[in-house]
Amino acid sequence: MDKDQFEALAPQEQAKVFYQSSFQERGDLFPYCHQPDTLTRSLSPEELYLLTRELDREELTEVIRYANLEQLFFLSDIDCWKKDRVSGKRFAGWLHALIGAGSQNFVRWFEEMDYEMVVTGFKKMIKVVKPEWEYALDEVLGDSPYFTLDNMYYILVEEDDLATVKQAMEKIFEHHRGKYVALLEGILNEIEDEIEEEAYRRREMRLAEHGFPDPERARHIYYPISREDFEKFPLKQKTQHSEPAAIAHYPSAWSESRLFLDDALALLQEEGGEVLEGVREELMWLSNKVVACEGIDLSSEERVRRGVERARHMVNIGLEDLSGGDAGKACDILKHRWLEIIFRWGAGVLQGLRGEAWGIVSKYWKDDAKVCFDFLDAPYEGIFKGVLQGGGLRNFTPSGLPLYCEEEKGDLGFREFRSARDIEKIRPRVKEADLAHDFLMHHFATLFDRLHLEAKRGGMRGTLFSVCGTVFAWFALDGNISDRPLPEEKMRTFLEKGFTRDSGKRILTPGLAEKFMGHFFSVPGRKSLELFWGFVFSQLESELAGLDFRKKIEPRYISCLLLAK
């Protein structure tokens, strides 16, 4: 929507369009709002902060002029800090914007903001001198820019910040003479590290009220929850809950694809808005915790969007698993269960999938994931790299979540798991790899020890498909199996006996694969490994069907079998 069309809308319609727009678009639309004050105060503090990232200085001061005290606190708690330290440069920028918005908001913020934060911020910008003797004044002050409002406290400040600091001090001096003295005495006498630590603690308490705990506590959302603990956890109606002043609209507006969760939310919508609004608030808090896990950084819309999407994905996985894919049952779960617990259930589902994959690495590869990856062929290699990315079974952290592997035009891509359908696609591949390993271990007990030793000595011969292809080739020769590389004469015999011409093309001899599968696997086993062995047989056909077995065979061009050198 262009700016003229937006300006022509009624205020209520403008708000609807505004909430559904990206923050970059909101920054463009904001100057054309009919009721900027109402719209500003309707935003959650998080949304207001993201909006300010898209505004120029003049528009920013206008937004701050309309902001309520909760929003102002949130803006300063994010804007003025760099990790666990107040940034003097950022604090100066905040003061400049706040004063530019008018004295009323600055005075309100100063009156209510904790002493420790104000002292710490000004300590980063200014130096206070209180000379005992008048004749020593010039000696103490030197050539530094300074000013004084009472000829008692002299404030030294960098030239670039002089105007801003002076305006701030003048307003404090005018409205709160006692606090003015307390502030300057604090700058003179407080130990910087101690007061900054207390300011940080108070900031953490305020941010926790918005769902931003410290990173260590935030990571608890990734701790899987057992069925017993899930059932014991208090239901919503048994827990005190405060009404939010404003609810962020981005959790519902940002959705890259429709999820099962959205179907359950649609049912909640039909039953009335009160429960739905509560779930939306929970989703905002949960998204904030996801962002907080890696350090509170709202510097870009993209970072917050990723937090929202991860919260949606994990809740969606947990909700699908708990409800068995029944939207009505899922709707009932959302009414009575906290989203964070559903998120943790989803984390448990993904951890279970990782556990299945890690079990293969542990059992057959001595906990050496890299060697396991080298042994696997596509698509299993990419699948295992995704599921096990970030570490082993215990490393279940925000940066170590399992990823869904998808192949597009021959290239591997990784993204987050979004749904039970994603898991249903990956889990059978993990099971197939497990069964294939088990088949080889059953018939060749020392195979994996030998392969692991080869890998450590500089190079493992063969992969899962080539080992299985070799086993099949030996079976085709005389009904027995072996994991030994095929000598050239045996290879020629396999090409003669194992392939047949059909419509001018050479294919695996009909019935040979079925005979092999029937000999070694039960009916359920054949069904479970049908796709896996289909990959093996397909690779044999694609590589070998065109070979002229009367000519010398170059082993280096063959990857589907192990050939003796």
Side-chain angles (χ1 to χ4, degrees):
M1 177 176 291
D2 63 36
K3 297 168 185 176
D4 291 337
Q5 291 174 316
F6 181 76
E7 192 170 22
L9 296 175
Q12 190 173 358
E13 291 300 313
Q14 280 190 338
K16 189 179 298 184
V17 172
F18 190 82
Y19 295 145
Q20 294 172 350
S21 302
S22 70
F23 284 95
Q24 184 176 3
E25 293 169 333
R26 290 185 187 188
D28 294 334
L29 296 175
F30 185 80
Y32 302 91
C33 292
H34 298 313
Q35 297 178 347
D37 53 343
T38 302
L39 191 58
T40 296
R41 288 190 284 271
S42 74
L43 298 174
S44 69
E46 298 92 327
E47 286 182 308
L48 186 64
Y49 178 81
L50 289 170
L51 175 61
T52 64
R53 303 298 88 196
E54 306 298 333
L55 300 176
D56 60 30
R57 178 167 291 184
E58 184 178 334
E59 293 166 338
L60 173 60
T61 56
E62 184 176 3
V63 167
I64 292 178
R65 184 178 296 117
Y66 298 134
N68 60 39
L69 196 57
E70 180 190 14
Q71 292 169 328
L72 292 176
F73 277 5
F74 187 83
L75 292 179
S76 60
D77 281 336
I78 300 298
D79 248 354
C80 298
W81 291 79
K82 187 173 183 180
K83 295 186 177 179
D84 59 349
R85 295 287 177 179
V86 173
S87 163
K89 184 177 179 180
R90 292 182 179 185
F91 187 79
W94 166 249
L95 280 184
H96 183 85
L98 192 57
I99 291 171
S103 62
Q104 183 178 358
N105 271 0
F106 171 77
V107 172
R108 281 198 301 144
W109 177 83
F110 176 79
E111 285 177 341
E112 299 298 331
M113 177 53 72
D114 53 80
Y115 163 82
E116 291 80 5
M117 170 62 189
V118 176
V119 170
T120 300
F122 276 107
K123 258 183 173 290
K124 303 285 184 176
M125 295 179 63
I126 67 176
K127 180 180 179 182
V128 177
V129 175
K130 188 180 178 184
E132 295 185 11
W133 304 102
E134 191 173 328
Y135 66 81
L137 188 59
D138 291 338
E139 182 181 335
V140 173
L141 296 177
D143 296 327
S144 302
Y146 72 92
F147 66 91
T148 180
L149 302 180
D150 56 6
N151 294 316
M152 181 178 295
Y153 296 95
Y154 292 81
I155 298 169
L156 285 68
V157 59
E158 294 293 332
E159 187 70 42
D160 291 344
D161 299 325
L162 181 59
T164 298
V165 172
K166 188 174 182 183
Q167 288 181 65
M169 290 298 177
E170 285 173 344
K171 294 183 188 303
I172 298 170
F173 187 81
E174 177 185 351
H175 291 88
H176 296 288
R177 192 70 56 87
K179 286 190 175 183
Y180 172 81
V181 173
L183 170 61
L184 297 184
E185 286 291 335
I187 294 170
L188 277 169
N189 299 309
E190 296 284 1
I191 298 173
E192 185 168 341
D193 286 345
E194 291 182 0
I195 197 166
E196 188 168 33
E197 184 177 342
E198 178 61 19
Y200 180 73
R201 187 186 70 82
R202 290 175 179 271
R203 173 202 186 229
E204 291 296 285
M205 291 172 60
R206 285 192 298 272
L207 289 177
E209 294 175 0
H210 294 276
F212 288 107
D214 66 82
E216 189 60 39
R217 285 196 297 127
R219 292 189 188 103
H220 287 187
I221 61 174
Y222 291 98
Y223 292 179
I225 188 169
S226 67
R227 169 63 73 173
E228 181 182 3
D229 288 339
F230 180 87
E231 296 297 341
K232 288 181 178 177
F233 203 86
L235 301 177
K236 283 183 181 179
Q237 57 264 37
K238 295 181 181 180
T239 305
Q240 292 295 323
H241 189 56
S242 58
E243 291 296 323
I247 296 175
H249 298 83
Y250 54 72
S252 55
W254 287 345
S255 51
E256 53 192 27
S257 58
R258 187 172 181 85
L259 304 175
F260 174 76
L261 168 64
D262 297 309
D263 296 334
L265 291 175
L267 293 179
L268 279 181
Q269 178 94 42
E270 294 175 6
E271 296 185 16
E274 185 177 345
V275 175
L276 180 61
E277 287 300 294
V279 172
R280 284 181 57 206
E281 185 197 3
E282 284 187 76
L283 187 55
M284 181 193 74
W285 276 50
L286 197 53
S287 302
N288 290 349
K289 283 192 175 182
V290 172
V291 174
C293 283
E294 298 180 25
I296 301 169
D297 185 352
L298 302 180
S299 58
S300 71
E301 177 178 336
E302 181 57 33
R303 180 179 291 273
V304 181
R305 185 187 292 269
R306 288 200 305 269
V308 171
E309 284 302 326
R310 175 171 289 183
R312 281 170 48 82
H313 296 159
M314 296 289 278
V315 169
N316 187 64
I317 290 170
L319 196 62
E320 280 190 283
D321 193 73
L322 288 164
S323 68
D326 184 324
K329 187 175 181 181
C331 179
D332 192 57
I333 292 171
L334 289 176
K335 290 180 188 176
H336 303 297
R337 297 288 183 179
W338 296 101
L339 285 195
E340 184 171 328
I341 300 304
I342 302 172
F343 183 107
R344 288 178 60 189
W345 187 269
V349 173
L350 285 181
Q351 191 179 49
L353 179 63
R354 170 171 285 180
E356 293 171 30
W358 188 253
I360 296 170
V361 177
S362 179
K363 181 177 180 180
Y364 301 101
W365 298 106
K366 306 180 189 299
D367 291 336
D368 193 334
K370 184 180 183 306
V371 175
C372 179
F373 297 156
D374 291 342
F375 182 65
L376 296 173
D377 302 89
Y380 300 95
E381 179 187 5
I383 286 169
F384 272 67
K385 282 182 176 179
V387 171
L388 295 177
Q389 80 89 29
L393 183 58
R394 294 182 180 179
N395 188 21
F396 205 74
T397 63
S399 58
L401 285 179
L403 294 178
Y404 179 86
C405 176
E406 50 190 355
E407 189 170 355
E408 192 171 326
K409 297 180 180 179
D411 296 325
L412 290 182
F414 297 93
R415 62 167 173 80
E416 292 189 355
F417 280 87
R418 299 169 182 164
S419 65
R421 183 181 302 173
D422 286 345
I423 295 172
E424 288 164 6
K425 288 180 179 177
I426 296 300
R427 178 166 276 132
R429 305 293 83 79
V430 174
K431 182 64 176 176
E432 289 159 9
D434 189 19
L435 292 173
H437 276 73
D438 184 67
F439 166 75
L440 293 175
M441 174 71 90
H442 177 74
H443 292 283
F444 313 108
T446 62
L447 171 65
F448 294 106
D449 287 337
R450 175 172 59 80
L451 291 173
H452 193 264
L453 186 60
E454 285 179 7
K456 291 302 181 184
R457 286 178 173 176
M460 178 170 45
R461 288 191 65 193
T463 63
L464 179 58
F465 284 178
S466 64
V467 172
C468 289
T470 302
V471 170
F472 173 75
W474 282 109
F475 178 83
L477 291 172
D478 58 13
N480 295 309
I481 61 173
S482 173
D483 64 338
R484 292 181 293 110
L486 286 162
E488 186 170 346
E489 65 275 11
K490 294 292 186 181
M491 172 67 173
R492 295 183 187 280
T493 304
F494 172 58
L495 290 175
E496 292 178 9
K497 297 179 66 173
F499 286 83
T500 305
R501 287 202 173 275
D502 179 40
S503 302
K505 295 193 306 182
R506 294 175 74 199
I507 61 172
L508 280 176
T509 300
L512 186 58
E514 289 79 2
K515 182 179 178 181
F516 172 82
M517 296 295 289
H519 185 83
F520 290 104
F521 303 102
S522 64
V523 173
R526 291 200 296 273
K527 186 172 180 62
S528 297
L529 282 168
E530 182 179 8
L531 183 66
F532 171 82
W533 282 100
F535 285 131
V536 176
F537 299 144
S538 176
Q539 191 173 27
L540 288 170
E541 278 194 338
S542 64
E543 283 195 26
L544 304 180
L547 288 181
D548 185 346
F549 58 82
R550 294 166 297 183
K551 295 182 179 180
K552 182 174 178 58
I553 298 170
E554 286 286 349
R556 58 181 171 168
Y557 296 129
I558 306 297
S559 64
C560 61
L561 292 171
L562 300 178
L563 299 181
K565 295 181 179 179

